[in-house]
């Protein structure tokens, strides 16, 4: 197992890679024996790209991106550094899964269902040019209602933004939709109703 991860928060980086700045990749200790780990000043996509092309000695069997601190569902997928990293893997011929959970949420469902979902998805890789996108609900394991596969991105954002002016500056204010706003069958509807959401995202390049 090889870990190549950003050394700090890199939300909303989408599929950005670093072109005109220096990137550092520093070897770090990891608390699991046999795992090789690197921390990077680059973006999530930088980490996957450099890991596949320069660090891992053979092509990886799989890339796992996340667990991200914040849902990657609905329109927010377009901004997601977690999904961008997974799509970078697919571009380099490596299957990938993106995992996300709500920021500051209850980790119970993720801890209980991640092994279940992982085993199922490893047995059925996504179609070429696609990645699996997994979002865990914000609830204890006992309150999680199970896993819903085949979820499609909701036609809305979970993180609704509007801009607030303070003097000459603008800042983003984030709000969240209620559980009935998004259509049944979508990823946001699933997590807001206590289910693990699993769906496939297609790279625009395939």
């Amino acid at each position: 197992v090889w870990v190549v991860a950003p050394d700090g928060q890199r939300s909303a980086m989408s599929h950005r890679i670093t072109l005109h700045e220096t990137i550092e990749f520093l070897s770090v200790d990891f608390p699991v024996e046999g795992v090789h780990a690197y921390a990077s000043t680059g973006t999530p996509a930088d980490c996957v790209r450099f890991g596949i092309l320069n660090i891992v000695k053979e092509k990886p069997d799989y890339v796992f991106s996340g667990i991200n601190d914040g849902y990657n569902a609905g329109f927010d997928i377009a901004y997601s550094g977690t999904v961008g990293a997974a799509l970078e893997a697919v571009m380099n011929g490596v299957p990938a899964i993106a995992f996300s959970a709500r920021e500051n949420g209850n980790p119970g469902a993720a801890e209980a269902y991640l092994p279940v979902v992982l085993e199922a998805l490893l047995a059925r890789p996504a179609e070429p040019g696609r990645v699996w996108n997994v979002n865990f609900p914000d609830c204890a394991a006992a309150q999680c209602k199970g896993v819903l596969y085949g979820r499609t991105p909701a036609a809305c954002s979970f993180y609704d933004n509007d801009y607030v002016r303070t003097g000459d500056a603008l800042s983003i204010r984030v709000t969240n939709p209620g559980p009935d706003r998004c259509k049944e069958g979508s990823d946001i509807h699933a997590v807001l109703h206590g289910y693990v959401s699993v769906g496939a995202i297609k790279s625009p390049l395939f």
Side-chain angles (χ1 to χ4, degrees):
V1 175
W2 298 76
V3 176
V4 186
D7 62 2
Q9 178 62 269
R10 301 288 193 279
S11 285
M13 287 287 178
S14 190
H15 202 150
R16 174 192 167 189
I17 59 172
T18 304
L19 294 178
H20 303 294
E21 302 170 22
T22 300
I23 315 173
E24 294 183 346
F25 289 89
L26 303 176
S27 178
V28 296
D29 292 331
F30 199 80
V32 178
E33 185 177 354
V35 174
H36 311 278
Y38 290 81
S40 173
T41 58
T43 69
D46 283 330
C47 292
V48 170
R49 183 176 178 83
F50 191 81
I52 292 174
L53 299 178
N54 294 275
I55 293 179
V56 182
K57 296 176 175 58
E58 299 177 1
K59 181 175 284 190
D61 297 311
Y62 234 103
V63 166
F64 303 139
S65 184
I67 294 176
N68 179 63
D69 191 16
Y71 288 141
N72 288 314
F75 289 163
D76 299 308
I77 289 170
Y79 309 110
S80 168
T82 306
V83 173
L87 292 174
E88 180 64 31
V90 168
M91 284 175 51
N92 285 277
V94 181
I97 306 173
F99 296 99
S100 302
R102 189 167 184 174
E103 69 285 0
N104 304 313
N106 188 321
E111 291 173 351
Y113 281 89
L114 191 150
V116 176
V117 171
L118 188 56
E119 183 176 7
L121 296 185
L122 288 176
R124 45 182 270 197
E127 297 177 17
R130 288 171 167 80
V131 302
W132 292 119
N133 187 38
V134 180
N135 284 275
F136 296 100
D138 175 16
C139 63
Q143 276 71 58
C144 184
K145 299 175 183 177
V147 184
L148 292 177
Y149 293 90
R151 301 303 93 180
T152 58
C156 62
S157 296
F158 181 78
Y159 301 99
D160 282 345
N161 302 323
D162 58 34
Y163 288 86
V164 180
R165 180 175 293 279
T166 304
D168 294 330
L170 290 174
S171 60
I172 292 179
R173 179 172 57 196
V174 178
T175 58
N176 304 136
D180 298 322
R181 174 176 166 181
C182 297
K183 185 178 178 181
E184 187 172 355
S186 70
D187 46 15
I188 296 178
H189 187 277
V191 293
L192 291 182
H193 285 81
Y195 291 93
V196 180
S197 169
V198 181
I201 298 173
K202 185 178 185 299
S203 168
L205 302 178
F206 288 81

